[in-house]
Amino acid sequence: MRIMIVALMALLLSGCIARTAVDVVTAPVRAVGQVADWATTSQDEADRNRGREIREEEEELGRDWRECMEDNEREYCDDLYYNRSRYQPPEED
């Protein structure tokens, strides 16, 4: 009976030890991959950052245009807006 338990434990532990050995061997490879991922920007991240930058730029231009409209005529503000942006000015309500 003891021999069966010892044999069974040996089989179970050998799998555990093998798994640990594989984890130890592959750890440096995974670490290098993670560092490379942190050091580079994916295309998805670059697109997201560019979209955020464009939205912030448009918001700033819209605020400037509305402030300009408080003190000046629309033609003057439209000219300023066209000079700073490739977008059409907002329609007046």
Side-chain angles (χ1 to χ4, degrees):
M1 182 73 164
R2 282 185 173 173
I3 295 174
M4 288 178 50
I5 292 174
V6 171
L8 183 61
M9 292 296 281
L11 287 173
L12 291 174
L13 288 177
S14 66
C16 181
I17 292 170
R19 174 110 176 132
T20 302
V22 168
D23 288 344
V24 168
V25 170
T26 59
V29 174
R30 283 185 276 142
V32 169
Q34 185 64 43
V35 169
D37 188 39
W38 287 336
T40 59
T41 303
S42 70
Q43 188 62 45
D44 183 46
E45 291 171 319
D47 292 344
R48 192 173 348 141
N49 292 340
R50 181 64 182 137
R52 183 179 301 121
E53 184 180 306
I54 290 171
R55 278 192 308 277
E56 289 171 357
E57 179 183 319
E58 288 176 346
E59 289 172 2
E60 181 182 348
L61 289 171
R63 279 192 303 270
D64 292 348
W65 187 82
R66 285 188 300 275
E67 288 175 10
C68 180
M69 286 295 292
E70 291 175 2
D71 300 328
N72 301 298
E73 293 183 16
R74 183 180 176 117
E75 289 178 23
Y76 174 76
C77 296
D78 286 350
D79 289 340
L80 287 178
Y81 189 85
Y82 280 126
N83 289 336
R84 289 181 55 198
S85 172
R86 61 183 177 270
Y87 307 106
Q88 292 186 0
E91 294 297 321
E92 188 174 282
D93 292 334

